[in-house]
Amino acid sequence: MTTTADTSRASTDSMLERAWAALEGVPDPEIPVVSIRELGILRDVRRAADGVLEVVITPTYSGCPAMAQIAEDIAHALEITGLGPCRIETTLAPAWTTDWITADAREKLRAYGIAPPTGQCGDDAATDAGQNTVTEKALRFVPPAALVPPACPHCGSAHTERLSQFGSTACKALYRCLDCREPFDYFKPY
Ligand SMILES: [Zn+2]
């Protein structure tokens, strides 16, 4: 790839626009109804000095096994749009938080049967006496907050109970609705 004088600001802008549009279609590998942009994993798309696209992502959890898949999906999406190859930069600061999940994505999660995170960064793990959650939370200094039980994504009832600290993935806890009796995943505030 050569960077020439005609690589104007405008062409960079349109390139970035196309890249954002292409990446808009990259779903989260674990929750395919929401995109990595909607989850706040996709942080930035920029053009490096050498003309190569750089995509900045922040993992939801450090060591989240989905990140390798996400990087592959990003590379593929840009490749088929004719924008590849790209570089993928992983940034850990600021740390990802469920606060970055868009309002649209929260609705999509609920429709998918996953209760979206409530409140802000409630550390319910710390209140889980007897369960080993040290590895997950040791690096975060979030004060334990009052745990707001999530509403059932199926019937909307606030009458729910937690069955397990971990649901289908480490990012989620398993709950059950005491009214409609359906179990559901809760995307833990983080
Ligand atoms: Zn219910």
Side-chain angles (χ1 to χ4, degrees), residues 3 6-20 45-48 51 53 83:
T3 307
D6 67 350
T7 305
S8 64
R9 174 84 204 184
S11 80
T12 295
D13 283 354
S14 93
M15 183 191 196
L16 294 181
E17 224 167 83
R18 285 165 61 214
W20 276 104
V45 183
R46 59 194 179 208
R47 197 169 188 182
L53 269 184
L83 294 170

Side-chain angles (χ1 to χ4, degrees), residues 152 154-157 177 179-182:
C152 170
H154 306 294
C155 71
S157 168
C177 177
D179 286 325
C180 74
R181 315 302 295 176
E182 288 289 327

